[in-house]
PDB file of all heavy atoms in Angstrom:
ATOM      1  N   ALA A  41      23.812  25.914   3.097  1.00  0.00           N
ATOM      2  CA  ALA A  41      24.463  26.348   1.844  1.00  0.00           C
ATOM      3  C   ALA A  41      24.178  27.760   1.440  1.00  0.00           C
ATOM      4  O   ALA A  41      25.006  28.495   1.081  1.00  0.00           O
ATOM      5  CB  ALA A  41      24.138  25.370   0.738  1.00  0.00           C
ATOM      6  N   PHE A  64      49.829  34.323  12.208  1.00  0.00           N
ATOM      7  CA  PHE A  64      50.972  34.801  11.511  1.00  0.00           C
ATOM      8  C   PHE A  64      50.986  34.406  10.045  1.00  0.00           C
ATOM      9  O   PHE A  64      51.860  34.769   9.258  1.00  0.00           O
ATOM     10  CB  PHE A  64      52.274  34.243  12.182  1.00  0.00           C
ATOM     11  CG  PHE A  64      52.370  34.734  13.634  1.00  0.00           C
ATOM     12  CD1 PHE A  64      52.300  33.853  14.707  1.00  0.00           C
ATOM     13  CD2 PHE A  64      52.505  36.072  13.911  1.00  0.00           C
ATOM     14  CE1 PHE A  64      52.384  34.307  16.036  1.00  0.00           C
ATOM     15  CE2 PHE A  64      52.621  36.562  15.222  1.00  0.00           C
ATOM     16  CZ  PHE A  64      52.531  35.637  16.288  1.00  0.00           C
ATOM     17  N   SER A 109      36.022  36.557  19.088  1.00  0.00           N
ATOM     18  CA  SER A 109      36.579  37.396  20.189  1.00  0.00           C
ATOM     19  C   SER A 109      36.860  38.792  19.657  1.00  0.00           C
ATOM     20  O   SER A 109      36.564  39.789  20.335  1.00  0.00           O
ATOM     21  CB  SER A 109      37.873  36.787  20.747  1.00  0.00           C
ATOM     22  OG  SER A 109      37.656  35.520  21.200  1.00  0.00           O
ATOM     23  N   TYR A 213      55.732  47.753  19.014  1.00  0.00           N
ATOM     24  CA  TYR A 213      57.117  47.809  19.547  1.00  0.00           C
ATOM     25  C   TYR A 213      57.125  47.860  21.056  1.00  0.00           C
ATOM     26  O   TYR A 213      57.891  47.087  21.661  1.00  0.00           O
ATOM     27  CB  TYR A 213      57.792  49.078  18.901  1.00  0.00           C
ATOM     28  CG  TYR A 213      58.572  49.921  19.876  1.00  0.00           C
ATOM     29  CD1 TYR A 213      59.895  49.502  20.305  1.00  0.00           C
ATOM     30  CD2 TYR A 213      58.146  51.130  20.368  1.00  0.00           C
ATOM     31  CE1 TYR A 213      60.626  50.274  21.182  1.00  0.00           C
ATOM     32  CE2 TYR A 213      58.894  51.908  21.254  1.00  0.00           C
ATOM     33  CZ  TYR A 213      60.140  51.441  21.672  1.00  0.00           C
ATOM     34  OH  TYR A 213      60.826  52.206  22.547  1.00  0.00           O
ATOM     35  N   GLU A 236      69.985  36.797  24.041  1.00  0.00           N
ATOM     36  CA  GLU A 236      70.734  37.102  22.829  1.00  0.00           C
ATOM     37  C   GLU A 236      69.761  37.210  21.666  1.00  0.00           C
ATOM     38  O   GLU A 236      68.937  36.301  21.432  1.00  0.00           O
ATOM     39  CB  GLU A 236      71.653  35.894  22.475  1.00  0.00           C
ATOM     40  CG  GLU A 236      72.972  35.910  23.190  1.00  0.00           C
ATOM     41  CD  GLU A 236      73.863  37.022  22.704  1.00  0.00           C
ATOM     42  OE1 GLU A 236      73.993  37.227  21.542  1.00  0.00           O
ATOM     43  OE2 GLU A 236      74.373  37.727  23.595  1.00  0.00           O
ATOM     44  N   LEU A 295      66.697  47.844   7.194  1.00  0.00           N
ATOM     45  CA  LEU A 295      67.885  48.597   7.613  1.00  0.00           C
ATOM     46  C   LEU A 295      68.132  49.782   6.712  1.00  0.00           C
ATOM     47  O   LEU A 295      68.514  50.883   7.221  1.00  0.00           O
ATOM     48  CB  LEU A 295      69.098  47.661   7.573  1.00  0.00           C
ATOM     49  CG  LEU A 295      69.222  46.629   8.657  1.00  0.00           C
ATOM     50  CD1 LEU A 295      70.405  45.706   8.464  1.00  0.00           C
ATOM     51  CD2 LEU A 295      69.347  47.300  10.048  1.00  0.00           C
ATOM     52  N   VAL A 313      60.518  57.586   8.257  1.00  0.00           N
ATOM     53  CA  VAL A 313      60.550  56.507   9.278  1.00  0.00           C
ATOM     54  C   VAL A 313      60.229  57.119  10.603  1.00  0.00           C
ATOM     55  O   VAL A 313      60.962  57.991  11.091  1.00  0.00           O
ATOM     56  CB  VAL A 313      61.878  55.799   9.323  1.00  0.00           C
ATOM     57  CG1 VAL A 313      61.966  54.776  10.445  1.00  0.00           C
ATOM     58  CG2 VAL A 313      62.175  55.066   7.968  1.00  0.00           C
ATOM     59  N   ILE A 434      39.194  23.244  34.139  1.00  0.00           N
ATOM     60  CA  ILE A 434      39.195  23.306  32.687  1.00  0.00           C
ATOM     61  C   ILE A 434      37.953  22.627  32.121  1.00  0.00           C
ATOM     62  O   ILE A 434      37.925  22.245  30.935  1.00  0.00           O
ATOM     63  CB  ILE A 434      40.453  22.704  32.085  1.00  0.00           C
ATOM     64  CG1 ILE A 434      40.656  21.253  32.503  1.00  0.00           C
ATOM     65  CG2 ILE A 434      41.699  23.546  32.448  1.00  0.00           C
ATOM     66  CD1 ILE A 434      41.579  20.476  31.646  1.00  0.00           C
ATOM     67  N   SER A 657      52.967  23.247  46.956  1.00  0.00           N
ATOM     68  CA  SER A 657      53.052  21.962  47.630  1.00  0.00           C
ATOM     69  C   SER A 657      54.109  21.103  47.054  1.00  0.00           C
ATOM     70  O   SER A 657      54.267  19.972  47.429  1.00  0.00           O
ATOM     71  CB  SER A 657      51.674  21.301  47.510  1.00  0.00           C
ATOM     72  OG  SER A 657      51.180  21.425  46.220  1.00  0.00           O
TER      73      SER A 657
END
Side-chain angles (χ1 to χ4, degrees):
F64 298 115
S109 303
Y213 136 74
E236 274 294 312
L295 285 174
V313 172
I434 59 160
S657 43

